[in-house]
Amino acid sequence: MPDPTEPTTARLPPMRLPSAAALVATDALALLAFVAIGMRSHQIGAILEVAARNVVPLAVTWGLVSAVAGTYRRRDLVSLLATWVIAVPLGLLARTLWVGSPRGGRIAVFLGVGLVFTLVFLMIGR
């Protein structure tokens, strides 16, 4: 009979990683949520052109960087963060060039807010 005063070493079952397709879908929804909330908070209508110019730069840079970083092959936090820290600023800067705003010092604020909120949405999804 086991001694009740002895600590037990229960093993947890190994964690199953979500499939790459599930992670791609989750990350895409997180990035789309970021864009949708940003558009709504700035009272920008949900016109297809406006939505596209806000989504396309982020989606393209995310897709390219995640392919190079192997984000969905590895499916780990390190590759996600590597993709995030490179793709989000590049995507937001590409969006700024396309749209023409923000300008000047506001670009740094835009990047900071974009980095924080995309990370929050990505972590909620994960």
Side-chain angles (χ1 to χ4, degrees), residues 16-107:
R16 267 187 74 198
L17 292 175
S19 70
L23 292 176
V24 168
T26 300
D27 293 349
L29 285 173
L31 296 173
L32 284 171
F34 165 73
V35 170
I37 289 170
M39 289 173 56
R40 183 170 171 90
S41 71
H42 295 290
Q43 299 176 348
I44 298 172
I47 302 167
L48 187 56
E49 177 191 350
V50 174
R53 71 180 189 194
N54 285 283
V55 171
V56 169
L58 189 55
V60 168
T61 57
W62 187 272
L64 292 172
V65 174
S66 67
V68 171
T71 304
Y72 300 109
R73 276 189 311 275
R74 289 196 228 151
R75 298 179 283 166
D76 63 350
L77 185 60
V78 172
S79 61
L80 174 71
L81 292 176
T83 299
W84 165 77
V85 79
I86 296 167
V88 171
L90 288 177
L92 295 178
L93 288 172
R95 180 250 178 229
T96 297
L97 290 172
W98 187 359
V99 173
S101 69
R103 293 185 180 151
R106 290 185 161 182
I107 292 173

